[in-house]
Each structure stands twice: as C-alpha cells, then as structure tokens.
C-alpha cells in the first residue's frame, strides 16, 4: 500500500511537495507475553496491589513499568491467541462447554489474564508529528500503558480502537507499551480465544490530518454515470488555527486517474473537526459485483503551503443494492438470491488469531461451494476479512455485537459503521443476534430505533436487519426493523409474510444440520454424527428443507446457513469429549463434508456429481449401506462392480438415495445433464502406503506473515486416496519458515494445535489433516517433510519471494 501511495503521489501531486506525510507501520513483531492472574496480585505482577493511579507515570513494581525485566517472557508475534495453547478441561459449566472446554474464564484465574509488552524506539526527526496506536481487536477488557502511563481501555473483544500516544513518546530513549488483557468474563457463547488476536498499527501523521475513518465514499448510479459523494473529516490538532486544501482523486484498478474533485480550501480552529463534501462523476463506471469485484480508490490529499502533509487511500466499489419486499434483493439492478453462510472467526491450528492469508483461503473455499454472502456471526469482523470479500466478490451481512443504546454499546456500533461503510461487500447491517430477553419488548423496539437512527446518520446508503429467533411475531424489534430476519422458525415465515406483506424477509440463520466429516454411523461415545443431511437440533432443519422453501419464494431474499465452517465450542448435539461444533458445511480445516455438495449442486452452475459414503466397509459384506448422491444432473444410474442398481430422476433441490448391499469393489454413478455425461465413483482401497502433501500455494511472500495451507492425505499403493485413514503424521521444516498450527477436523480431538518447535504432529481424521506454514523474512526455498511409521515420506517445497 505504501509503495502504491508513493506512486500515486508522484503522479498526481505534481504541483506540490510532499512533506511529513502519513505512515502506517504494522506493529505485530517483537512482542513479549506472559500469563498473569485474575485473583492473585503477586502472580499478576502486582497489578491491583500497587497504587498506580495516585501519580501520573508512577508504575511501581508492575509489568507496565518501563524498567520491568521481561527477559523470561515468551517472545511472540501478533496476531496471538493464548487460549489455543491451553489444555482442555472437562466441566459441567455451560459457558465453558460453549467455549470448547478450554481452561479459560472466571473459573481459571491463572489462565485468564494475559500481559503483553513491546519495546521500540522513535527517531528524533519524527518529533512534531501525531502518533496513534490502532488495535484491530483485543479479547477482551484490555488496559493499555505506555512508558508507565495509563493510556486507556477497551471493553469489547471484537471492535477496534485507537489511542493517542503522542505526548508520552520518548525520542531519545526506548519506549515500552504494556497491555493487560482480561478474559475472565466471556462475551459470547462460542470459542472466543483471548489476547491481541488481530493486527496492531502505529500511525504517524501531521497534526493537521484526516481523522480516523474520516473518508466516506457514497456512490449512486444514473443511466451510465456514477455520482460519487466524498465526505472527508479533517482534524486540526495543532495549537494554532490552520488552513489547508483538500484534493481528491479517483484511481481505477490500473492505477490511472479517472476523475478528480474541485480543490476545497478550509480554515480550522484549534482542535476543530470539520467535514468537507465533494462530488465527482464517472462516465461508464466499472461496477463491483460478486463475479467481477472491481475496485476503485480515492486518494485524499491534505495540502498546506503547497506541501502534501497528509494522504489517505480508500478502496471502494461502485454498485447498487436494492431490497424489494415482493421481488427480493437486487445487485446493480439484477436479482440475486443470497446463498450465504454464517461464520465464526476461528480456524484449526491458530484459534482466533488468523493470518491474513487464511481469511482469503476461507473466502475462496466458500466461493468454490457457491456461497455469495457471509454473515459475520456474531460480531464485527477483522478488517482483513472484509478486504478479502471486497477483492474476491462476497457480499457481507455485517453484525453488531449487542443490542443496546448505552454509551459503550453505541460507541461500538459507531466504530463498526464508520470503519466498514466503504466496503462494497457490505450490503446490509445486522443490529444484533437472538436477544432473547429483549426482542419481544418495547425496550428492544426503542433501542432498535436509536440504532437505526445512528445507522442512517452514519450510512444512509444501506438498510438493516436483526437476527430474530422467533416466528410469526411482530411485536418489539420486528415492528421497526426494515428487513425482517428469520433465525430458523420456518413454519412462521409464510404466515408472517401474509401479515406483514410490505416488509422484506431474509433468512439470517438457517439449517444447522449437524454432521461429522467421514462418519456414517452415530457414535455417542466419541461424539460423532453421520455425514448425511439427516440430523439437526429441535430448533433447526435439514439443508434440503430450508433451501426448498427459500428457492421457491421470489420474495424470500435467501439465507445464511449455520455455519460455513465448524468452529470451536458449542459441541452439539453432544458434549464432552466433543470440543467443537458439527454445524459446519466444512470442518474447522475447511475440508468439505458431504452436505457441501448439496449446496454446490443448487448454488452453482458447475457440473456436480458426488457419491458417498466411501467404500471401505470390511466386515459388513452383505449388509445394506445407505448411499446418497448429490448432483444437479437430470438423472443418475448407480453401478456396483459393473452391475446396474437402477436409474433415478433427480428432483430439483433434493438428493438421491439407494440401499446397497456391500461388496468390496467400485461403486460408480453415471449422470446425464443436458446431454452431458458426468461420472463419480468410490472404491475399496488397500491400506495407506504413502503421504501426500497438497499446498494451496507453492510460492508465498517472504514477509514473515504469509501462509501456505498444506493439506495432508494418504494413498494406497495403487494411488487411491484412503478415506478412513487415521495415521499419526510427524512434520519437520527447514529454517526460514515456521509451522504455526495443525488440525484435522475431528470435533473430539484433544491433540495440540500448537506443538513445541521440532515436535509438530497430528493424526489424520478420516484421511485428512492440515498444517499451516508461515514464511520467514528471507527469500529462498523451504522444505516441509511429513513422516509416519510404515508410510512413505512426503516432501513439499515452498518458495519464498
């Protein structure tokens, strides 16, 4: 981004000289970490015991004293989730169950406080600038100190915040940031992790500058012209009144200037915050869509005395969203049905601390399945998730954490909207999710009106919904919500529509089928459910039932399946030893379950034919095996060892089933689709013989941040993948890269996601496992080796450049 900005400034600021411009430094490296203690002051580095607020900057014998010795603290880089490394602990406490049985929360004071420290220096030449620390997400209730001074705190673990550190910086000696993170209080009912699990940025800028999230881009289309309205907040933090000129340019994806706004001079008093409005028109705009996610950029310059003193680059897309109560949703004037998934934010191996590359990896997996929309359940997402959705073409239902209008909750809501409103992927806001004690009441109605008023003030271009787990009920929040959201309650949708004809309806949470990848028999001891679209909790439904309802109703905007990926916590329908959910269409690694192919059949134009289960059923010869087929073909014929078992017509939005007496060999499906022949088969395999490593990318950036996702499988001597293998695989890696986590999608696995250096390992679960390899900072080639007793090794090289 910085290089791109410099290039733009060279192109467009030909009449002015850049001086002391804005710089954003990623502040993720060289941190130190240590657990504290929520009840024992002596184990919490005397926090709470020492009087730290009697005099400014007197830190006493605490961990935020700049002279504190942190030599024995763990060296880490951000993002960091300390919970993923904690042990599992069986408990009857509901909240701990819901958080995946990790030993975190009020019952575990020794694990629920985390301290972070970072030492850095600043150049004396930078004195005179403003400096801010931007935290994209810290879970949770954190207090921030610099050089022994208390800076501020943030309650929620899901929305970012910014703190001004200018006055406390040393320019001729070291600076120390210390952060105390308190995860004793849960915020959700799912795995949340703990720590500084998103990026941190150090921002340097002129005292006369564009405010945080201070550029707002709104677009409207008329005929073949896009009218762009720019609002730029300028802040004068000098101690004298100042004048400046705002100059704005629109840049296309090739980096060319396509239009500019008239220069706007402005005079600001001391500490004044003023908004400048500019309008730009673009002829024949290139529209943003899910199939062609084209992005423009606004370059906003602040010019003072013929010098560029600040600059901000803002990505945006030109697109129109229309919601119609009778016709559904339209994107750029074309009808679009929401093929959505709800998703939490954790992934195998890393917990909630996802590297940016994993955000893109997960969105790509969803798009391959046919998903076109992502609900950020149940909290504001990390900014990089929205960047991935913007760039890859994925609509987003952006969700607020709590329903409330207190100062704290309103602040979170305002920060969410101001941060995310320029993302073209965000098509609608969600005020909250399933507020059981409130949603039926007048209190909820009044709160919703307050939130909606604030939303319209900050972003009049979008509408909002609320994820309501109630049926044909129009009291409380549903009286005022613009778009009625249904969480389940399928039986209430038609009568509600009849009674509220002019209110649009969307399925904010649908499905909740539970299944375990590669398992075909109910297993209560291990906590597994069959990998068919048959099992669901009392409030939920099969995929087929909800999707048929949605597909057949033009006015039904579509829906978000619970969930795209399995996630830690909420182990349903079982508890211990289960430690994560079964709701995902894919498991926590992103390996598809069979239900994936049901959705892919009806959500894409791809030729889909998927036959299951696997065909390794030794000991069940002559017994009936339930065989399913997901396809969007017209008809399918099934063969066992060359013998036809019958041809069946494929009902739309459904599936096919056969009962087949098991014999080893090849079970094959042949399908016909518009005259085209499709084939799929499952085959009885021999024992595993060799390990296979399959990276998502063989070349990654040598930036110390990028990640290659390497999927692990095994094949027999004939080269057939073994679908029921459970071998323990060991991993080693050459220098200049790191294994940052492993997983296998087993919802009852208590194996470590993080291992000691040189001791990484993971068992296959039904033939699959995954490791995440993060680059170092030097170019070259990294070698990853996988070994297992009795199997041929595998070696995979990854190029760093």
């Amino acid at each position: 981004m910085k290089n791109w900005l410099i290039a733009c400034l060279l192109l467009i600021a030909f009449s002015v000289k850049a001086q002391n411009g804005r710089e954003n430094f990623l502040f993720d490296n060289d941190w130190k970490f240590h657990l504290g203690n929520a009840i024992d002051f002596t184990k919490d580095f005397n926090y709470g015991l020492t009087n730290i607020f009697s005099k400014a900057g007197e830190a006493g014998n605490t961990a935020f004293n700049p002279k504190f010795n942190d030599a024995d603290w763990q060296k880490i880089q951000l993002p960091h989730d300390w919970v993923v490394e904690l042990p599992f602990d069986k408990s009857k406490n509901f909240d701990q169950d819901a958080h995946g049985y990790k030993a975190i929360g009020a019952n575990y004071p020794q694990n629920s406080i985390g301290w972070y420290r970072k030492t850095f220096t600043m150049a004396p030449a930078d004195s005179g600038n403003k400096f801010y620390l931007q935290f994209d997400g810290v879970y949770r209730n954190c207090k921030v100190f610099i050089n022994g001074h208390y800076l501020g705190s943030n309650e929620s673990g899901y929305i970012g915040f910014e703190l001004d550190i200018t006055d406390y910086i040393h320019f001729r000696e070291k600076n120390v940031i210390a952060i105390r993170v308190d995860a004793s209080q849960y915020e959700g009912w799912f795995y949340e992790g703990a720590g500084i699990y998103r990026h941190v940025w150090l921002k340097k800028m002129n005292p006369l500058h564009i405010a945080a999230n201070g550029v707002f881009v709104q677009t409207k289309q008329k005929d073949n012209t896009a009218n762009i309205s720019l609002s730029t907040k300028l802040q004068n933090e000098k101690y004298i009144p100042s004048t400046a000129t705002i100059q704005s340019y629109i840049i296309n994806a090739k980096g060319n200037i396509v239009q500019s706004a008239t220069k706007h001079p402005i005079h600001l008093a001391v500490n004044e915050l003023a908004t400048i409005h500019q309008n730009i028109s673009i002829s024949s705009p290139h529209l943003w869509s899910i199939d062609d996610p084209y992005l423009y950029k606004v370059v906003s310059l602040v010019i003072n005395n013929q010098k560029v003193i600040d600059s901000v680059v803002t990505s945006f897309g030109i697109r129109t969203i229309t919601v119609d109560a009778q016709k559904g949703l339209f994107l750029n004037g074309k009808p679009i049905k929401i093929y959505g998934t709800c998703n939490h934010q954790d992934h195998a191996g890393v917990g909630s601390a996802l590297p940016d590359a994993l955000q893109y990896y997960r969105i790509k997996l969803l798009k391959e399945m046919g998903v076109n929309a992502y609900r950020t359940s149940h909290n504001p997402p990390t900014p990089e998730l929205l960047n991935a959705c913007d760039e890859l073409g994925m609509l987003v239902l952006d969700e607020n954490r709590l329903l409330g209008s207190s100062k704290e909750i309103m602040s979170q809501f305002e920060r969410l909207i101001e941060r995310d409103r320029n993302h073209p992927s965000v098509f609608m806001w969600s005020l909250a999710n399933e507020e059981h004690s409130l949603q039926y009441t007048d209190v909820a109605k009044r709160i919703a009106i307050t939130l909606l008023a604030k939303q319209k003030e900050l972003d009049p271009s979008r509408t909002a919904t609320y994820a309501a787990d109630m049926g044909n009920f129009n009291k409380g929040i549903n009286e005022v919500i613009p778009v009625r959201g249904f969480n389940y309650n399928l039986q209430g949708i038609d009568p509600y529509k009849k009674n509220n004809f002019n209110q649009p309806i969307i399925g904010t949470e649908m499905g909740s089928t539970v299944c375990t990848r590669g398992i075909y028999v109910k297993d209560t001891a291990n906590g597994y459910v069959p990998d068919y679209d048959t099992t669901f909790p009392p409030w939920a439904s099969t995929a087929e039932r909800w999707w048929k309802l949605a597909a057949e109703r033009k006015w039904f905007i579509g829906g978000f399946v619970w969930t795209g990926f399995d996630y830690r916590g909420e182990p349903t329908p079982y508890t211990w030893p289960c430690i994560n959910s079964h709701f995902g269409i894919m498991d926590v690694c992103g390996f598809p379950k069979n239900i994936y192919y049901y959705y892919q059949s009806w959500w894409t134009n791809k030729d889909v034919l998927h036959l299951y289960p696997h065909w390794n059923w030794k000991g069940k010869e002559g017994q009936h095996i339930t065989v399913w087929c997901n396809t969007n073909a017209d008809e399918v014929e099934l063969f066992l060892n060359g013998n036809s078992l019958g041809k069946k017509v494929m009902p739309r939005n459904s599936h096919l089933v056969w009962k087949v007496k098991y014999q080893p060999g090849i079970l094959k499906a042949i399908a016909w689709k518009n005259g085209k022949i499709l084939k799929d088969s499952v085959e009885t395999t021999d024992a595993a013989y060799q390990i296979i490593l399959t990276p998502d990318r063989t070349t990654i950036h040598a930036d110390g941040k990028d990640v290659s996702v390497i999927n692990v499988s095994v094949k027999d001597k004939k080269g057939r993948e073994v679908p029921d293998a459970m071998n323990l695989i060991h991993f080693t890696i050459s220098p200049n890269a790191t294994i940052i986590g492993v997983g296998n999608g087993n919802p009852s696995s208590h194996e470590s996601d993080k291992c000691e250096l040189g001791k990484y390992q993971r068992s296959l679960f039904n033939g699959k496992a995954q490791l995440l390899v993060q680059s170092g900072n030097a170019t070259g080639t990294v070698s990853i080796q996988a070994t297992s007793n009795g199997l041929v090794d595998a070696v995979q090289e990854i190029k760093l450049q």
Side-chain angles (χ1 to χ4, degrees), residues 52-99:
I52 60 175
F53 292 115
S54 60
K55 298 291 182 179
E58 292 188 1
N61 187 24
T62 67
F64 62 88
N65 188 319
K67 297 180 180 180
F68 178 84
N69 184 359
D70 59 14
D72 63 343
W73 285 29
Q74 179 186 359
K75 295 179 181 180
I76 63 161
Q77 75 169 25
L78 308 180
H80 176 250
D81 173 6
W82 83 69
V83 178
V84 74
E85 301 185 55
L86 293 178
F88 299 101
D89 188 38
K90 186 178 181 180
S91 169
K92 293 183 179 180
N93 178 278
F94 168 78
D95 284 309
Q96 191 191 348
D97 168 307
H99 283 74

Side-chain angles (χ1 to χ4, degrees), residues 595-615:
I595 199 172
Y596 173 103
Y597 299 96
Y598 171 77
Y599 287 112
Q600 191 181 58
S601 295
W602 307 114
W603 286 4
T604 74
N605 293 321
K606 297 178 181 180
D607 295 329
V608 180
L609 178 63
H610 177 67
L611 190 65
Y612 54 99
H614 62 72
W615 213 238

Side-chain angles (χ1 to χ4, degrees), residues 204-270:
K204 182 190 82 170
M205 64 195 73
N206 191 284
L208 179 58
H209 59 263
I210 296 170
N213 299 313
V215 178
F216 180 28
V217 187
Q218 298 180 77
T219 67
K220 290 184 179 180
Q221 294 167 241
K222 185 176 181 180
D223 299 327
N224 199 32
T225 300
N227 297 310
I228 301 170
S229 174
L230 301 178
S231 300
T232 307
K233 285 185 179 180
L234 193 62
Q235 188 169 15
N236 179 26
E237 293 190 284
K238 293 184 175 182
Y239 58 88
I240 58 173
S242 299
T243 60
T245 298
I246 299 295
Q247 196 166 3
S248 301
Y249 297 85
I250 305 296
I251 309 296
N252 65 18
K254 294 180 180 179
N256 299 322
I257 301 171
V258 295
Q259 195 54 272
S260 61
T262 302
K263 295 180 182 180
H264 194 297
I266 188 170
H267 180 84
L268 292 94
V270 175

